[in-house]
Amino acid sequence: MSSLTSSSLTSIVSDNLIHYCSGSIPISFTELNLKQTLLGGQSFRWIEQISNEFIGVLGSYIICLQHINENLHYTFYINISNKNLLNLSNENNRQNETSLILHNYFQLSIKLHDLFQIWCKSDERFQNHLIPIGIRVLAQDPLENLISFICSSNNNVQRITKMIKLLCIEYGKEIGTLNGITYHEFPTIDELDKPNLEKHLRELNFGYRARYIQETIKYLKYTINDLSFFDRLKSLSVKEARIELLKIMGVGRKVADCVLLMSLGKQDVVPVDTHIHSIAVTYYGRRKNLQLTTSNYDEISSFFEQLWKPFAGWAQAAAFSNELRSTSNNKTNIKSRSLKRSISSYETNNQHQLVKCRKKSLSIQQQIKES
């Protein structure tokens, strides 16, 4: 039985999970393509457990979503330890709260149909319906988004999803079990600040990304030491905020741009990976290079920012999600060649060099102290 239909019959779903609130939001299919938005390489916390029913985690909630008859039906679940929340609010207040969470997450105040009409005038691929409408940019938690895209380095969506799930299981708070699957919150900075974090993540097959995650947590907690860090970045210009993000080990231009677009409200930023690079070369006549470099990253990003404005980042999300679906369909029988949502190889190489340089700098500083 679908969890969306059964949840309203009882408040207790499992031993540790209770139903919090259900409701619906009117929204047309032209304003929201739910599947391609949730599974389109932006967030890695959603699964399609049965056809057209999506289950994911936002904060401390497990959420089930279905888009039926141009209504987004939703059900929120919470851990049973939070059952006092049910007594502190009435059903109407809970519906207002949960509806607002989804409005903010899907950024429903932005009218995608109006943007699509503008993009059609500047780009014939939109005009000819080669890029589908309804794909929205998700407004994500900055820490979760940052760690997720650090994990995206030379990786594919399926493996990134597995890595983020493992990270949440190992370090995040358990929310509860729904339909046989146990869900966890994304861990906080304090929960990830463990002396053996890198070692343990390497044991979980995070590879070199384990070092980047550990250094990111240390940097945010001990160097930045400011709970309003990401909020402060929102008030900066794109260039200023990008400079701050690039100071974090493991964060190159692509990762920084994903955080700018998906967590800091910089709607015109166009992240460029190997697939956007391929789109630029194949359909828009950009110069063909075997690899992304700093120079052609800037060129491609600037080109699309001008072509697709306003909200160029949203057009990029649609183009990328469409490429993801097309490539996946072409490779359904070739598992080993699954689509990669990777940062460019130049970023990976630069990150490895950055680690070496920092190690050398620390070694020199230690020698100076000892002398």
Side-chain angles (χ1 to χ4, degrees), residues 87-204:
N87 300 325
L88 296 175
S89 61
N90 57 43
E91 178 68 18
N92 185 60
N93 289 339
R94 292 195 295 274
Q95 284 206 345
N96 289 337
E97 174 202 352
T98 52
S99 177
L100 181 60
I101 288 172
L102 293 177
H103 268 86
N104 291 338
Y105 185 62
F106 288 105
Q107 304 191 75
L108 297 183
S109 62
I110 296 171
K111 302 305 177 186
L112 194 53
H113 180 268
D114 295 342
L115 292 174
F116 200 86
Q117 296 305 309
I118 297 173
W119 297 332
C120 284
K121 295 177 181 178
S122 61
D123 187 340
E124 64 179 16
R125 295 192 72 233
F126 280 95
Q127 185 178 21
N128 295 332
H129 304 289
L130 298 175
I131 299 175
I133 193 171
I135 299 168
R136 309 188 70 85
V137 171
L138 301 171
Q140 301 182 60
D141 174 77
L143 178 64
E144 179 176 336
N145 193 23
L146 174 61
I147 299 299
S148 295
F149 279 97
I150 287 175
C151 289
S152 75
S153 172
N154 290 328
N155 219 340
N156 60 68
V157 170
Q158 183 179 8
R159 186 159 179 257
I160 300 166
T161 301
K162 181 180 178 181
M163 292 166 72
I164 296 303
K165 181 180 180 179
L166 283 172
L167 188 73
C168 294
I169 290 173
E170 294 294 322
Y171 296 99
K173 292 184 181 70
E174 181 178 326
I175 304 173
T177 302
L178 182 65
N179 298 338
I181 298 177
T182 300
Y183 296 87
H184 296 75
E185 296 180 26
F186 193 86
T188 64
I189 290 176
D190 287 339
E191 289 169 336
L192 288 170
D193 181 31
K194 308 295 182 185
N196 64 342
L197 178 64
E198 179 184 355
K199 179 177 181 295
H200 188 45
L201 291 182
R202 286 186 181 275
E203 292 170 352
L204 296 174

Side-chain angles (χ1 to χ4, degrees), residues 57-325:
V57 174
L58 287 180
S60 59
Y61 297 107
I62 299 173
I63 303 174
C64 294
L65 298 175
Q66 286 181 312
H67 198 190
I68 303 172
N69 297 329
E70 300 203 324
N71 278 278
L72 179 63
H73 297 273
Y74 64 83
T75 299
F76 279 60
Y77 302 94
I78 57 174
N79 187 274
I80 200 165
S81 64
N82 295 322
K83 63 182 179 180
N84 61 312
L85 293 176
L86 293 173
N87 300 325
L88 296 175
S89 61
N90 57 43
E91 178 68 18
N92 185 60
N93 289 339
R94 292 195 295 274
Q95 284 206 345
N96 289 337
E97 174 202 352
T98 52
S99 177
L100 181 60
I101 288 172
L102 293 177
H103 268 86
N104 291 338
Y105 185 62
F106 288 105
Q107 304 191 75
L108 297 183
S109 62
I110 296 171
K111 302 305 177 186
L112 194 53
H113 180 268
D114 295 342
L115 292 174
F116 200 86
Q117 296 305 309
I118 297 173
W119 297 332
C120 284
K121 295 177 181 178
S122 61
D123 187 340
E124 64 179 16
R125 295 192 72 233
F126 280 95
Q127 185 178 21
N128 295 332
H129 304 289
L130 298 175
I131 299 175
I133 193 171
I135 299 168
R136 309 188 70 85
V137 171
L138 301 171
Q140 301 182 60
D141 174 77
L143 178 64
E144 179 176 336
N145 193 23
L146 174 61
I147 299 299
S148 295
F149 279 97
I150 287 175
C151 289
S152 75
S153 172
N154 290 328
N155 219 340
N156 60 68
V157 170
Q158 183 179 8
R159 186 159 179 257
I160 300 166
T161 301
K162 181 180 178 181
M163 292 166 72
I164 296 303
K165 181 180 180 179
L166 283 172
L167 188 73
C168 294
I169 290 173
E170 294 294 322
Y171 296 99
K173 292 184 181 70
E174 181 178 326
I175 304 173
T177 302
L178 182 65
N179 298 338
I181 298 177
T182 300
Y183 296 87
H184 296 75
E185 296 180 26
F186 193 86
T188 64
I189 290 176
D190 287 339
E191 289 169 336
L192 288 170
D193 181 31
K194 308 295 182 185
N196 64 342
L197 178 64
E198 179 184 355
K199 179 177 181 295
H200 188 45
L201 291 182
R202 286 186 181 275
E203 292 170 352
L204 296 174
N205 296 318
F206 277 63
Y208 62 85
R209 305 167 195 86
R211 175 75 188 281
Y212 296 157
I213 294 172
Q214 177 174 276
E215 294 301 322
T216 294
I217 296 304
K218 286 183 177 179
Y219 181 80
L220 292 174
K221 183 169 183 177
Y222 299 106
T223 302
I224 297 298
N225 190 25
D226 181 2
L227 294 176
S228 64
F229 172 66
F230 290 113
D231 286 332
R232 180 166 55 82
L233 295 189
K234 292 179 182 179
S235 66
L236 300 179
S237 68
V238 168
K239 183 177 180 180
E240 291 170 332
R242 183 185 286 130
I243 288 173
E244 293 301 312
L245 290 170
L246 290 173
K247 293 177 181 178
I248 303 172
M249 181 182 291
V251 175
R253 175 68 184 274
K254 160 67 190 316
V255 175
D257 284 355
C258 285
V259 176
L260 289 169
L261 171 63
M262 302 174 198
S263 295
L264 302 182
K266 309 302 184 184
Q267 311 285 18
D268 283 308
V269 172
V270 174
V272 179
D273 65 358
T274 54
H275 301 289
I276 295 299
H277 177 221
S278 176
I279 289 171
V281 171
T282 304
Y283 303 112
Y284 298 92
R286 311 318 292 172
R287 289 183 299 146
K288 186 172 183 179
N289 293 302
L290 295 179
Q291 293 183 341
L292 276 172
T293 63
T294 303
S295 175
N296 61 21
Y297 185 110
D298 289 338
E299 177 189 339
I300 292 170
S301 183
S302 296
F303 169 76
F304 283 129
E305 285 173 5
Q306 291 300 313
L307 178 68
W308 290 334
K309 65 181 181 182
F311 287 76
W314 285 59
Q316 184 267 6
F320 176 84
S321 179
N322 188 59
E323 183 77 2
L324 178 69
R325 183 185 64 171

